[in-house]
Amino acid sequence: MLTAAFSRGAAARVNATSIRSLSAWSAVKAGPPDPILGVTEAFKADIDPRKINLGVGAYRDGNGKPYVLPSVKKAEEIVARASPDKEYLPITGLADFTKRAALLAYGADSEPLKEGAISITQSISGTGALRIGGAFLARHYPHSKVIYLPVPSWGNHTPIFADSGLEVRGYRYFDKKTVGLDFEGLKADLRAAPEQAIVLLHACAHNPTGVDPTQAQWAEISDIVKEKKLFPFFDMAYQGFASGDTARDAFAVRHFVSQGHQIALAQSFAKNMGLYGERVGAFSLVTADPAEKARVDSQLKIVIRPMYSNPPVNGARIANAILGDAALYSQWEGEVKGMADRIISMREKLYDALTHDLKTPGEWGHIKSQIGMFSFTGLSPDHTKVLAEKAHIYMTSNGRISMAGLNDSNIEYFAESVDAAVKGKL
């Protein structure tokens, strides 16, 4: 009996080993963990009540909780009362939504918008917009298959464009010494780029640094892009969320268009409407005239159809209800400003605590001068490691924090912990 059982067990093990060796996926290697996901997993496993998660790229209210905008709740009621069906959207999405998304981005005074020369499609949030844009440029932009990204940039930019078939290169952006914009390096690298290459620009609230060019610097960048005949591709994921003013946050996009640039634009409504899980976005291109727009529209459909066929409908209906109702739009603008103002207030409180109260070594002015959800603190990997291990404060190893994770209940503890880490006393 024992011998037979042992034989059966041995045979089973041999069989399992054989199956593994014959598996089609036996040579697949484990990929590297996502750095943000790793931060969140470590945070969730921590049982200390003082723990803080500063890795997540989503807004949190003053109590550290996810926030559903009241304007979004009203829009959901409007949509529900209409008893809409669940039919497929067209390939390019909800037409009323894309029309209003273009108006929000380009502004009522935009000449290409007034002339009917902006080709636009709904997308699966900002990521989907970037992917559509990358695929379209790889297939149809005739002058270059090289795209320049700022260094650093959002971690997903490189795989999105590489998977689209573009060659990814970088241009200087962030100065670690000043924890600010390396404007001279940026200009030099754009001037050194081959003519007609594609350049990705963060329209506002640069992710991950929170460092934006001034309006005067944007004008200089526009001139260089024109001089070098570069093709500008804007990623605008934070319109309204950066400064609290949708027009101010769209300055770069609108200025470039006013100067005659044919731009590409990726929009997201995840941050500024809190529609993270609804996946609402848009991709657009400025064309020469309505006839060219029609041809571009047709090719966008050909790109999108085998990618995901058509976009989800619910989030587009919510965003459209807000953008299409004057009172609700005004309420939404106030709520976006409220979110931006809370983050700005956290920046001011953190700066005051580190500089005036704790006298933390170093220069911390960048905490206030940076804008948007994220801040590059200047903390080293050693600092972030000890903050996680000793203070239960979680962020990415490069010192990037989500300012939305700070609130009146935890900012004092965070500042004291940073101070102790910098002084080597944690």
Side-chain angles (χ1 to χ4, degrees):
M1 288 284 286
L2 280 173
T3 303
F6 177 80
S7 299
R8 286 196 298 272
R13 287 194 296 273
V14 170
N15 189 46
T17 302
S18 300
I19 290 171
R20 282 195 295 271
S21 67
L22 293 172
S23 170
W25 320 121
S26 60
V28 175
K29 298 178 181 178
D34 184 281
I36 306 298
L37 184 60
V39 169
T40 300
E41 288 176 347
F43 170 80
K44 287 180 177 178
D46 193 329
I47 60 172
D48 192 287
R50 299 168 298 173
K51 67 180 182 177
I52 306 173
N53 184 3
L54 300 178
V56 64
Y59 182 78
R60 295 292 181 260
D61 65 16
N63 297 312
K65 303 296 183 185
Y67 178 58
V68 180
L69 277 63
S71 58
V72 167
K73 292 180 180 178
K74 284 187 179 180
E76 288 176 321
E77 292 172 2
I78 291 170
V79 172
R81 283 199 299 270
S83 298
D85 57 40
K86 301 294 184 182
E87 293 295 300
Y88 291 124
L89 283 177
I91 295 172
T92 52
L94 189 65
D96 285 345
F97 162 69
T98 54
K99 177 181 177 181
R100 287 162 178 156
L103 179 62
L104 177 69
Y106 292 91
D109 295 331
S110 168
E111 288 302 321
L113 189 67
K114 290 190 288 187
E115 293 167 3
I118 292 178
S119 174
I120 187 165
T121 177
Q122 186 180 328
S123 64
I124 301 176
S125 203
T127 302
L130 292 162
R131 188 67 174 81
I132 292 168
F136 184 87
L137 292 173
R139 187 175 300 182
H140 295 289
Y141 183 59
H143 305 299
S144 177
K145 304 305 175 191
V146 174
I147 185 166
Y148 282 81
L149 308 183
V151 179
S153 196
W154 180 45
N156 215 15
H157 278 146
T158 294
I160 285 170
F161 292 118
D163 284 359
S164 298
L166 297 173
E167 179 187 339
V168 177
R169 299 179 188 173
Y171 63 89
R172 282 172 284 178
Y173 190 88
F174 183 68
D175 187 336
K176 291 183 179 179
K177 293 179 181 177
T178 65
V179 200
L181 181 66
D182 182 0
F183 190 50
E184 294 306 314
L186 180 155
K187 291 189 292 183
D189 285 354
L190 291 188
R191 286 193 173 104
E195 282 197 354
Q196 299 183 309
I198 305 160
V199 57
L200 183 88
L201 303 163
H202 294 232
C204 60
H206 179 274
N207 179 4
T209 69
V211 174
D212 283 356
T214 64
Q215 292 190 356
Q217 288 171 331
W218 273 122
E220 283 192 64
I221 294 168
S222 171
D223 290 343
I224 293 170
V225 168
K226 183 175 286 188
E227 172 193 330
K228 292 291 297 186
K229 301 177 184 176
L230 302 175
F231 183 84
F233 189 157
F234 280 97
D235 184 358
M236 187 158 65
Y238 297 92
Q239 187 182 3
F241 195 94
S243 69
D245 183 327
T246 55
R248 178 179 173 185
D249 290 349
F251 170 81
V253 167
R254 296 178 185 183
H255 177 76
F256 270 63
V257 173
S258 74
Q259 296 304 300
H261 293 281
Q262 283 192 307
I263 72 163
L265 172 65
Q267 288 174 266
S268 169
F269 291 83
K271 305 296 192 300
N272 58 12
M273 287 189 180
L275 297 174
Y276 302 99
E278 297 287 358
R279 313 308 292 144
V280 188
F283 172 73
S284 55
L285 289 157
V286 174
T287 68
D289 52 49
E292 184 173 279
K293 171 191 174 297
R295 297 196 302 273
V296 170
D297 285 346
S298 71
Q299 291 297 335
L300 281 174
K301 291 174 185 176
I302 291 169
V303 168
I304 293 166
R305 176 63 169 152
M307 193 181 289
Y308 59 84
S309 208
N310 42 52
V313 65
N314 190 60
R317 284 173 174 158
I318 293 168
N320 182 57
I322 292 171
L323 296 175
D325 182 286
L328 202 53
Y329 181 88
S330 179
Q331 178 182 336
W332 167 67
E333 283 195 310
E335 291 163 1
V336 173
K337 188 176 189 307
M339 290 191 290
D341 286 349
R342 193 188 83 72
I343 288 178
I344 291 168
S345 75
M346 289 298 104
R347 290 184 179 278
E348 291 171 347
K349 288 180 180 180
L350 180 58
Y351 171 80
D352 288 343
L354 293 173
T355 303
H356 303 308
D357 301 340
L358 298 167
K359 309 263 189 279
T360 307
E363 205 291 309
W364 299 97
H366 57 276
I367 296 292
K368 286 202 303 183
S369 63
Q370 293 171 0
I371 194 169
M373 181 175 290
F374 299 109
S375 175
F376 250 33
T377 59
L379 294 170
S380 70
D382 287 341
H383 291 144
T384 64
K385 186 172 185 287
V386 75
L387 282 166
E389 292 174 352
K390 300 291 182 66
H392 311 277
I393 295 170
Y394 298 89
M395 65 187 77
T396 52
S397 62
N398 59 9
R400 187 204 79 164
I401 63 172
S402 171
M403 295 301 302
L406 295 176
N407 55 61
D408 289 334
S409 299
N410 64 21
I411 194 164
E412 183 178 350
Y413 174 69
F414 174 70
E416 290 172 349
S417 300
V418 168
D419 178 69
V422 171
K423 291 176 179 176
K425 295 180 179 179
L426 193 60

